[in-house]
Amino acid sequence: ELSRPETDTQTPKDSTVELHDVHFGYGETEVLHGVNLTFRAGTVNALVGPSGSGKSTIAKLIASFWDVGSGSITVGGADIRNISAEHYHRLVAYVSQDNFLFDNTVRENIRMCRPGATDAEVEQAARNCGCYDFIMGLENGFDTVVGSGGGHLSGGEKQRISIARAMLKDAPVVILDEATAYTDPENEAIIQESVAKLVRGKTLIVIAHRLSTIVDADQIVVVNEGKIEATGGQAELVGKCQLYRTLWNAHIASRDSAEGGADRA
Ligand code: ADP
């Protein structure tokens, strides 16, 4: 249970997100050991690092799933513990393939983060995210009820609905947990296009599993064993960070073998 004021006791000045000496553990075991980071307003930031290094934990703390053990997280200079839950919810959108859908219609699932949105706005958000056609193909279109967990929708379709939801919400800070794999390339292309529209002008923090995101990022953060190993741009990190070079070379190798596989096919 998070304790938040009814109304803000501090006002965020912009959408810059900062972590100040953040420590955090699940139960007894500390998994983040003094993390300091700045994600400047309007920039694209990628979190990379080995599995289990703490990337999702950082993302979820910023999304306010839990409170930090010690240290603080600020948005626009305001400690997130001084911002009302309702306001914080409007400031930050968290998008992942696991975002579960609620037992309700597709329409209400998209609308849920902005209850005042009109049907036309919901449908426009769906169009922008390349969801419109597959939704219209469902039994009852936008009025089709999807079960908890998303019923019979594919992972890619769920991700697209959750992107449409975030787009309608129009939050200034977007946290994106990229899916590691998609079943079909067409779906992946649609998702990448939708994400590009969603994040324009926003502060984006992405847990990056794909090369394309990393190359274009304003800042890449290399996370290792609950600490920040290095930060910088692509070329800078290739030059100065051994762990990043290793991750980068693995990306290149897997991309080349995927392309080689496609050539042979
Ligand atoms: P990454 O996103 O880089 O793969 P995580 O942030 O998910 O890393 O995990 C960091 C560490 O915290 C790992 O040791 C992981 O096992 C642990 N961890 C993650 N989520 C939980 C949880 N809900 N309960 C207990 N330990 C967790």
Side-chain angles (χ1 to χ4, degrees):
E1 189 68 11
L2 303 177
S3 121
R4 296 288 183 266
E6 282 288 310
T7 55
D8 298 354
T9 55
Q10 250 188 313
T11 311
K13 288 190 294 288
D14 61 20
S15 60
T16 295
V17 176
E18 287 183 287
L19 280 73
H20 310 270
D21 195 24
V22 167
H23 292 255
F24 178 78
Y26 297 96
E28 295 291 289
T29 324
E30 186 175 281
V31 298
L32 295 181
H33 316 290
V35 170
N36 290 289
L37 282 173
T38 300
F39 304 108
R40 284 183 299 109
T43 60
V44 173
N45 303 271
L47 299 178
V48 302
S51 177
S53 56
K55 303 178 297 293
S56 308
T57 304
I58 293 172
K60 285 177 178 166
L61 287 174
I62 297 168
S64 194
F65 282 45
W66 307 288
D67 270 337
V68 296
S70 66
S72 65
I73 299 176
T74 56
V75 173
D79 190 313
I80 66 175
R81 290 167 292 197
N82 294 330
I83 300 172
S84 75
E86 185 267 332
H87 185 194
Y88 201 70
H89 184 66
R90 278 187 280 124
L91 283 178
V92 177
Y94 178 83
V95 184
S96 96
Q97 186 163 320
D98 313 324
N99 272 16
F100 58 99
L101 302 178
F102 296 87
D103 273 321
N104 207 329
T105 60
V106 171
R107 189 189 307 284
E108 295 314 318
N109 266 289
I110 295 176
R111 185 165 18 221
M112 71 187 330
C113 290
R114 220 182 92 204
T118 63
D119 284 357
E121 286 170 326
V122 168
E123 286 166 26
Q124 189 56 46
R127 276 201 185 85
N128 286 341
C129 295
C131 288
Y132 190 81
D133 290 342
F134 91 75
I135 292 171
M136 293 310 281
L138 298 173
E139 204 175 331
N140 295 308
F142 279 83
D143 296 313
T144 306
V145 174
V146 287
S148 52
H152 50 265
L153 300 177
S154 74
E157 289 170 341
K158 281 188 253 181
Q159 177 109 343
R160 280 148 74 177
I161 289 181
S162 94
I163 293 169
R165 178 192 283 166
M167 188 173 281
L168 188 64
K169 180 172 167 177
D170 200 23
V173 177
V174 177
I175 300 165
L176 173 68
D177 192 346
E178 280 188 340
T180 39
Y182 292 110
T183 43
D184 62 293
E186 190 199 354
N187 205 14
E188 173 163 357
I190 293 171
I191 289 175
Q192 282 181 349
E193 227 172 87
S194 314
V195 165
K197 283 185 206 155
L198 166 68
V199 303
R200 209 167 287 151
K202 309 276 166 75
T203 307
L204 173 68
I205 301 164
V206 52
I207 300 178
H209 299 291
R210 287 191 311 252
L211 214 56
S212 47
T213 316
I214 298 170
V215 177
D216 295 334
D218 296 299
Q219 173 178 247
I220 300 163
V221 175
V222 184
V223 187
N224 191 23
E225 296 185 349
K227 293 188 180 141
I228 304 309
E229 180 109 355
T231 61
Q234 157 71 14
E236 186 186 350
L237 288 176
V238 167
K240 75 176 185 189
C241 178
Q242 175 59 42
L243 174 58
Y244 185 73
R245 260 199 307 276
T246 308
L247 294 167
W248 176 253
N249 289 336
H251 273 305
I252 298 276
S254 71
R255 184 193 60 182
D256 288 351
S257 73
E259 282 173 1
D263 286 347
R264 279 191 298 276

